[in-house]
Amino acid sequence: MTQVDIDALREKYAAERMKRLRPDGNDQYLRVSGRLSHYLEDPYTPVADRPPRFDHVSVAVIGAGFAGLLTAARLKEVGIRDVRLIDKAGDVGGTWYWNRYPGAQCDTASFVYMPLLEETSHMPSEKYAHGPEILEHCRRIAEAYDLFDGALFHTEVTGLRFDETDARWTVTTSRGDAFTAQYVVLGTGPLHVPKLPGIPGIESFEGHSFHTSRWDYDYTGGSALGEPMDRLSDKRVAIIGTGATSVQCVPPLARSCRELFVFQRTPSSVDTRNNAPTDPEWFKQMATTGWQRRWMENFAATQTGRMPDEDLVQDGWTDLAHRIRERIMAIPPDELTAEAMMDAFEESDYEKMEEIRARIDAIVEDGATANDLKAWYRQLCKRPCFHDEYLQAFNAATTHLVDTDGAGVERIDESGVVVAGRHYDVDCIIFASGFEVGTPFWRRAGFDMVGRGGITLSGHWADGMRTMHGIHTHGFPNAFIVQITHGANLLSNVPHNLSESANTIASILDHAARGGFSRVEVTEEAERQWMDRLRSGVTFLGSADCTPGYYNNEGQPEGRDGDSFRGYPMGAVAYFEYIEQWRSDGAFDGLRFSR
Ligand code: NDP
């Protein structure tokens, strides 16, 4: 690629970004509450009556998605019997409970993404498993570890308060429960509160509408299992948003609707998927003891540029890492500066994005539509997408891309959607508008923890998130947070981060049980030292040069609390090595255990 190309691309990227920058940032989105709260109702499981609980458990695990399931499973393995899952959903599964839109599929290879495959002897049916299989796998984990027993579903935690006299937490909920737990685990997830675009007139629409995370199969017909959505055959349907969710559900919608209008503000980058069924013979040979851990470690190492001899997963995530590595290797040793490495990274990115844009021209028959589908930003500015049917869907005469040239939908009225003054009459609007990301942890969790001496989590984190290992926070004894920042921060395989935290928490509680301790808390000093260590590296705020999106706080990265986006300065693999050593040496440095 010549220098001239790069300059032209830089200019184009900057121009496209400018079109999308808006002063209201995150405030452009509507909070789903009040008159909009019907968008949150659970369409999948009826809410069953149950008496409130006033008992005591050893561990209350808030959130029954991957974080909660993994931690609860590991706690069971170390012999803790009464572990209670609590979730606002009607079952286990978290993200995979809510996101049952047609075509939902994991974007990271099943072998490294689906937790506890080895422990549950499950072979993923495809390299990228579909949603129903992943949800079923969540149930398999809950069955295998006896986690349904005592679980509280359709239950929102409303309060969590530490009582110093007996070192217990009181958990209060939307169902009138007020029970106690010696330990609490927060696996509340980052992407589970749906948001709606603040489009003028959104409440005036008189047709049917729903958010992708509450798919209304009663209206569309069909099912998450892929049965055709036969009730859409006479419907004109709008889908607003073209992020990772939309990319997956547009192809089945395109096959079902009388007409489908895809309203696009910013195109996603859509690379090849190359999904394939798993060959059981290959799997049998490959899946020897410890296989999943080896695969997860290999993926993390490859994707973060450590380059082990073999790339087991071989996909779009690792491809980019290989390219960058090759370019860096080509730099003569005496010219190998940090700047030269960043240039190599940038050049690989331009090359990759040019390929992705060329793929659109090769697939999409209409030239204008093909042009509108092209993404003009660096690949990691937004969540990279991979799909082998999305672009093809626009070749159907009944599928229409309505590109808004970065401006977004202008207006919604009682009968449809307006863009650039043109009215599109529709029967149904599907909001593929994503989830709250930039809002504070306690707002998304739905409660503010009250720790020792009445200190609130919002107060303790008023100047930014403070933890040790992303798990412990001073002033909140016997409470553990399971999430990805302040640890490995490995975005390409989130469950890997959660799995390590689950192992760590299980080791700590095992140690407490063996030593007869009833209370464990990170010291103020250890928390401070950990934050100092994190601050010695760079923080991932999302690049200001990127097109706006939730990765860069809608184009306002400087408005972010930097501490909330930090990871281990030496990288994900180094963190995994560090934390394994930390939990194995028996010292549990930084924690204070007491009776
Ligand atoms: P996103 O937040 O990624 O996408 C929201 C979409 O809505 C964007 O295309 C956005 O445009 C668009 N939008 C917002 N406001 C307007 C407006 N006024 N007019 C028109 N369009 C508008 O949400 P998703 O649900 O797609 O994905 C969220 C995250 O969930 C992903 O990034 C990924 O992390 C995860 N996910 C993972 C999957 C997997 O692993 N298999 C599958 C699906 C999701 P703009 O880009 O301009 O802001």
Side-chain angles (χ1 to χ4, degrees):
M1 180 170 294
T2 65
Q3 187 60 35
V4 175
D5 287 330
I6 288 185
D7 287 344
L9 283 173
R10 275 203 190 117
E11 222 170 280
K12 172 75 175 160
Y13 285 14
E16 290 292 329
R17 173 178 165 273
M18 282 309 291
K19 278 185 198 168
R20 290 169 174 84
L21 274 181
R22 40 191 293 166
D24 52 358
N26 262 313
D27 294 338
Q28 68 181 285
Y29 288 102
L30 296 178
R31 182 156 201 214
V32 187
S33 60
R35 280 170 44 198
L36 296 170
S37 52
H38 63 95
Y39 282 104
L40 293 177
E41 283 165 17
D42 181 354
Y44 312 123
T45 317
V47 179
D49 273 346
R50 66 165 178 83
R53 301 291 178 91
F54 302 102
D55 54 353
H56 175 77
V57 291
S58 295
V59 188
V61 177
I62 304 167
F66 281 179
L69 287 170
L70 267 159
T71 312
R74 295 302 187 205
L75 292 176
K76 289 273 178 150
E77 281 177 353
V78 297
I80 298 174
R81 293 165 69 92
D82 55 337
V83 177
R84 173 173 289 164
L85 294 179
I86 305 140
D87 202 297
K88 60 186 171 188
D91 200 345
V92 296
T95 290
W96 296 100
Y97 176 87
W98 293 113
N99 288 286
R100 301 191 197 192
Y101 58 82
Q105 189 181 9
C106 61
D107 262 344
T108 299
S110 315
F111 310 109
V112 296
Y113 178 81
M114 290 171 72
L116 302 169
L117 287 174
E118 204 168 337
E119 290 80 349
T120 54
S121 304
H122 179 68
M123 179 192 85
S125 66
E126 302 171 276
K127 183 166 181 183
Y128 301 94
H130 279 78
E133 179 174 340
I134 304 174
L135 178 57
E136 201 45 50
H137 184 62
C138 291
R139 295 190 181 118
R140 179 178 299 111
I141 294 169
E143 289 285 356
Y145 288 92
D146 208 11
L147 300 175
F148 283 121
D149 192 23
L152 302 178
F153 296 121
H154 283 144
T155 302
E156 275 186 62
V157 171
T158 50
L160 208 51
R161 179 174 281 275
F162 187 69
D163 181 347
E164 299 210 42
T165 45
D166 53 6
R168 287 178 170 187
W169 288 90
T170 299
V171 185
T172 48
T173 78
S174 57
R175 304 294 293 269
D177 308 298
F179 59 89
T180 55
Q182 190 185 353
Y183 300 106
V184 291
V185 171
L186 275 66
T188 47
L191 283 161
H192 66 103
V193 180
K195 62 180 166 40
L196 290 171
I199 299 170
I202 189 168
E203 288 181 60
S204 65
F205 183 60
E206 289 173 3
H208 197 68
S209 64
F210 56 88
H211 186 273
T212 47
S213 66
R214 304 288 189 278
W215 197 271
D216 189 349
Y217 283 105
D218 278 347
Y219 178 83
T220 63
S223 76
L225 293 167
E227 285 144 325
M229 293 179 280
D230 50 352
R231 294 186 195 154
L232 293 181
S233 60
D234 60 348
K235 301 282 191 294
R236 291 160 60 90
V237 175
I239 182 163
I240 297 181
T242 50
T245 299
S246 186
V247 165
Q248 293 187 334
C249 67
V250 158
L253 278 173
R255 287 193 288 272
S256 308
C257 302
R258 187 179 123 207
E259 278 189 286
L260 176 66
F261 299 89
V262 181
F263 290 90
Q264 172 180 275
R265 189 166 68 179
T266 309
S268 279
S269 73
V270 187
D271 204 353
T272 52
R273 173 72 303 167
N274 285 330
N275 196 13
T278 310
D279 173 0
E281 275 311 307
W282 167 82
F283 188 79
K284 213 158 82 191
Q285 300 290 323
M286 177 281 284
T288 53
T289 308
W291 76 266
Q292 195 176 21
R293 192 178 172 93
R294 280 198 301 280
W295 271 65
M296 283 162 66
E297 287 174 354
N298 179 273
F299 179 72
T302 311
Q303 202 271 318
T304 56
R306 283 222 180 177
M307 297 301 153
D309 292 343
E310 197 183 1
D311 172 3
L312 292 170
V313 168
Q314 295 186 38
D315 69 356
W317 293 106
T318 60
D319 177 52
L320 189 59
H322 284 297
R323 287 165 187 254
I324 296 166
R325 163 98 170 176
E326 270 162 33
R327 279 191 183 262
I328 290 174
M329 297 296 279
I331 303 172
D334 56 335
E335 292 172 26
L336 195 61
T337 59
E339 205 180 320
M341 281 162 66
M342 290 313 286
D343 287 348
F345 185 8
E346 194 181 358
E347 281 163 26
S348 316
D349 199 302
Y350 284 123
E351 180 187 276
K352 181 86 216 176
M353 290 300 282
E354 283 288 271
E355 283 175 23
I356 290 173
R357 288 186 285 264
R359 179 169 176 258
I360 301 174
D361 286 325
I363 293 173
V364 178
E365 289 154 13
D366 176 65
T369 307
N371 269 340
D372 287 344
L373 285 166
K374 289 177 187 164
W376 300 101
Y377 46 79
R378 288 183 65 169
Q379 195 185 21
L380 300 180
C381 282
K382 279 189 178 281
R383 165 74 183 230
C385 297
F386 307 92
H387 212 286
D388 294 337
E389 291 172 37
Y390 176 72
L391 298 171
Q392 290 80 348
F394 294 95
N395 289 335
T398 49
T399 304
H400 316 282
L401 179 71
V402 184
D403 181 50
T404 64
D405 197 22
V409 166
E410 186 178 309
R411 201 157 37 87
I412 290 177
D413 65 14
E414 62 282 354
S415 59
V417 179
V418 179
V419 169
R422 179 169 167 194
H423 186 273
Y424 297 82
D425 234 5
V426 294
D427 302 294
C428 175
I429 300 177
I430 300 171
F431 293 104
S433 44
F435 302 87
E436 280 193 20
V437 177
T439 49
F441 180 87
W442 46 92
R443 169 169 155 173
R444 277 174 287 131
F447 57 88
D448 196 4
M449 267 207 294
V450 184
R452 207 163 31 75
I455 178 182
T456 57
L457 191 62
S458 58
H460 186 56
W461 288 0
D463 296 326
M465 184 175 174
R466 280 192 274 159
T467 75
M468 181 175 85
H469 302 161
I471 298 175
H472 317 271
T473 190
H474 182 66
F476 299 83
N478 293 5
F480 308 95
I481 307 168
V482 185
Q483 49 85 49
I484 84 167
T485 55
H486 290 197
N489 224 359
L490 181 69
L491 280 163
S492 56
N493 189 17
V494 170
H496 192 167
N497 306 262
L498 309 178
S499 169
E500 288 298 321
S501 294
N503 292 341
T504 305
I505 295 165
S507 299
I508 294 166
L509 295 203
D510 186 38
H511 176 77
R514 287 170 194 276
F517 301 112
S518 58
R519 182 184 155 121
V520 54
E521 182 180 352
V522 63
T523 64
E524 195 172 5
E525 177 64 7
E527 182 179 275
R528 196 184 51 71
Q529 282 175 356
W530 187 254
M531 292 311 300
D532 286 347
R533 191 188 295 203
L534 297 181
R535 288 177 191 134
S536 70
V538 291
T539 181
F540 176 74
L541 284 174
S543 170
D545 298 338
C546 277
T547 191
Y550 78 83
Y551 277 13
N552 68 353
N553 202 31
E554 299 300 332
Q556 302 176 346
E558 64 290 345
R560 239 173 195 173
D561 141 38
D563 280 345
S564 297
F565 294 86
R566 292 186 186 278
Y568 195 61
M570 307 305 287
V573 175
Y575 176 77
F576 292 143
E577 288 163 358
Y578 158 82
I579 199 69
E580 186 178 6
Q581 170 68 28
W582 182 89
R583 66 174 175 256
S584 312
D585 70 9
F588 298 101
D589 216 11
L591 296 186
R592 183 176 295 134
F593 291 84
S594 53
R595 294 190 167 84

